[in-house]
Amino acid sequence: MNMAMSIPGHIDPVPVPRAIPALDDSRLDLVGLSRDAIRAALEEAGLDAKAAKLRAKQIWHQVYHRGAIRFDAMSDIAKPHRAWLADRFVIGRPEVIEHLVSTDGTRKWLLRTPDGNDYEMVFIPDADRGTLCVSSQVGCTLNCRFCHTGTMRLVRNLTAGEIVGQVMLARDTLGEWPSQPEGRMLSNIVMMGMGEPLYNFDNVRDALKIVMDGDGLGLSRRRITLSTSGVVPMMARAGAEINVNLAVSLHAVTKEVRDEIVPLNRKYGIEELLQACADYPGANNARRITFEYVMLKDKNDSDEDARELVRLIRKYDLPAKVNLIPFNPWPGAPYECSTPERVSRFSSIIFEGGISAPIRRPRGRDIMAACGQLKSAAEKKSRAELDRLAEEKQAALADVPA
Ligand code: SAH
Ligand code: SF4
């Protein structure tokens, strides 16, 4: 059995070596391209329309369904054609800077874009499912006060290829090609990594289309959740063009507190946001909207807050579930996590209001699985390395006779 297929449960966190070498050339990377875009690229490279159409269909199946990373593995394409393709195109994967496995089986990757920006991906295995937490941006422009990603300076949108590439890389690691409908470890995807997915709408949509394609990665939209901090004007489009499950980072029930912890609230308020949730297509009891609520001590965790949350959800008649997230602290964070007793009490009040409110169990603490933490640890390490080099240089200079 392939070692990478078993999720270790009782070992220390281990770095896992990368299997696929980084690409370093100017050939076009096909990952992230739609069928039409692949066909157009083939025509541009010289194939006639008919050949390009057929070849695009074969390549699509090989790349997204079978997980091929080399053209010479594409047995349904004649050998000379494979070589022709390999001269012009590549099938890439994100570059892995670090890959850690937690004692609880959680995996975390630090990935790097070709232009040198780092972002994260996390895989959380459970008894009956495995959830991949995918990033949509490097950093985030929204600056929620409890979120480490919001403190990062560097921001750029990830491309569709970089987004779907995360899922493909996870499949490589778990040994889960070709795409199968049943029995896979990677069964669910949440767009809850770094970044605000609705601020990178087109790329997120294009990537998720490939993930949901029956001859692509083949994951049903019911197994995909998009989390937004509340970009109200994009929510209707998300429903119309992507229509995956919706999660909303509510985190507070009064204007005063939400303005402070989710500054986007100053632009799109709570009532507007809840109305957009009520208008989201397909929301019903079988497909409830998840409200994420990070538990911050003495900030948003009172009994009144819980009762107000129930009232708001009822007012908008929302088929909803509340996910209570214990705050994951990071160095310099301006908040503390609510006590376990407070979190339980908060949860009970919501349950008594007839709304499910499970408490999320922290996972992968030993590998810093909270959003943004691995990236800053890596940055710190490189700063420490720089300091050490500077010291060495100084010491060397001091040795030079005057
Ligand atoms: N930008 C999107 C998706 C990424 S954040 C959004 O905000 O919804 C994914 C979830 O992690 C959000 O609910 C976010 O509020 C939560 N989160 C961020 N930092 C956290 C921390 N330090 N502790 C607990 N949850 C956190
Ligand atoms: Fe951005 Fe989401 Fe973090 Fe807010 S919680 S800063 S929207 S990643």
Side-chain angles (χ1 to χ4, degrees):
M1 198 175 83
N2 177 355
M3 274 306 289
M5 286 175 71
S6 62
I7 298 282
H10 306 286
I11 53 163
D12 289 327
V14 284
V16 184
R18 166 182 169 73
I20 304 151
L23 299 160
D24 186 22
D25 62 40
S26 57
R27 289 172 294 174
L28 177 66
D29 189 346
L30 294 176
V31 173
L33 300 190
S34 66
R35 278 189 188 81
D36 262 1
I38 296 176
R39 187 187 44 72
L42 292 169
E43 277 191 47
E44 195 147 309
L47 291 192
D48 66 44
K50 199 169 156 229
K53 196 173 171 206
L54 169 71
R55 198 65 83 224
K57 191 167 182 266
Q58 291 170 312
I59 291 174
W60 174 277
H61 179 80
Q62 287 284 352
V63 170
Y64 296 129
H65 181 82
R66 306 202 69 86
I69 50 164
R70 294 212 311 270
F71 293 99
D72 57 19
M74 300 184 178
S75 51
D76 55 343
I77 297 177
K79 267 206 175 139
H81 292 302
R82 292 183 221 164
W84 182 88
L85 288 165
D87 283 344
R88 290 160 180 81
F89 303 104
V90 291
I91 305 157
R93 291 291 190 266
E95 183 187 354
V96 178
I97 300 305
E98 230 171 333
H99 174 194
L100 303 170
V101 183
S102 160
T103 49
D104 69 10
T106 303
R107 287 166 182 262
K108 180 148 188 168
W109 290 259
L110 184 65
L111 308 174
R112 184 165 292 167
T113 64
D115 57 338
N117 292 315
D118 292 356
Y119 59 106
E120 301 175 354
M121 168 174 93
V122 179
F123 178 70
I124 305 160
D126 275 305
D128 58 339
R129 62 163 71 185
T131 306
L132 188 70
C133 180
V134 172
S135 289
S136 55
Q137 297 181 307
V138 176
C140 184
T141 53
L142 287 175
N143 305 109
C144 299
R145 284 200 74 196
F146 54 85
C147 174
H148 202 204
T149 303
T151 66
M152 288 173 190
R153 203 167 36 88
L154 205 66
V155 179
R156 94 153 161 75
N157 283 337
L158 292 174
T159 64
E162 287 160 350
I163 296 166
V164 72
Q166 295 173 58
V167 186
M168 297 172 80
L169 177 75
R171 279 241 176 116
D172 294 345
T173 311
L174 299 169
E176 298 210 305
W177 297 108
S179 304
Q180 283 155 17
E182 295 298 330
R184 22 183 195 208
M185 269 197 278
L186 201 180
S187 61
N188 293 62
I189 291 179
V190 291
M191 296 301 303
M192 289 187 189
M194 297 170 76
E196 168 50 55
L198 295 188
Y199 273 1
N200 185 14
F201 185 84
D202 291 358
N203 291 332
V204 167
R205 176 201 54 210
D206 293 351
L208 291 181
K209 290 253 184 256
I210 298 170
V211 172
M212 293 187 277
D213 190 288
D215 193 38
L217 303 192
L219 241 91
S220 137
R221 66 186 167 84
R222 292 190 168 70
R223 293 184 171 275
I224 303 172
T225 300
L226 185 148
S227 173
T228 179
S229 55
V231 185
V232 168
M234 296 306 289
M235 285 169 66
R237 266 191 82 192
E241 297 178 37
I242 313 177
N243 199 18
V244 293
N245 302 321
L246 184 67
V248 171
S249 293
L250 193 61
H251 303 316
V253 291
T254 64
K255 175 165 169 53
E256 191 201 349
V257 177
R258 196 163 192 268
D259 275 357
E260 175 190 325
I261 67 179
V262 184
L264 185 66
N265 194 64
R266 296 171 203 162
K267 215 161 163 187
Y268 313 116
I270 293 173
E271 305 267 339
E272 239 182 297
L273 176 57
L274 295 178
Q275 186 56 51
C277 292
D279 297 338
Y280 192 77
N284 57 48
N285 270 327
R287 203 158 167 255
R288 288 174 294 176
I289 292 175
T290 304
F291 288 102
E292 293 160 280
Y293 201 98
V294 62
M295 298 300 298
L296 304 173
K297 188 176 184 185
D298 299 330
K299 181 50 69 179
N300 64 356
D301 62 353
S302 70
D303 287 1
E304 294 86 86
D305 288 323
R307 283 193 284 266
E308 177 64 4
L309 182 54
V310 172
R311 190 190 70 81
L312 284 170
I313 290 172
R314 286 210 185 125
K315 177 178 171 192
Y316 287 87
D317 199 19
L318 293 168
K321 157 184 163 188
V322 176
N323 227 337
L324 298 176
I325 315 171
F327 171 60
N328 207 331
W330 36 273
Y335 305 109
E336 280 174 69
C337 185
S338 311
T339 61
E341 298 73 40
R342 192 88 291 276
V343 180
S344 301
R345 173 88 186 116
F346 198 92
S347 169
S348 308
I349 294 173
I350 299 170
F351 266 116
E352 282 156 22
I355 298 159
S356 159
I359 300 163
R360 203 192 280 173
R361 202 159 38 102
R363 296 288 303 266
R365 284 249 161 128
D366 55 336
I367 55 167
M368 300 175 286
C371 187
Q373 291 194 4
L374 190 64
K375 172 167 162 140
S376 33
E379 276 165 5
K380 234 176 265 148
K381 189 164 67 188
S382 58
R383 260 200 304 280
E385 261 163 27
L386 287 177
D387 289 345
R388 185 179 52 76
L389 286 174
E391 270 169 31
E392 274 177 13
K393 202 167 156 194
Q394 261 182 354
L397 284 174
D399 283 341
V400 175

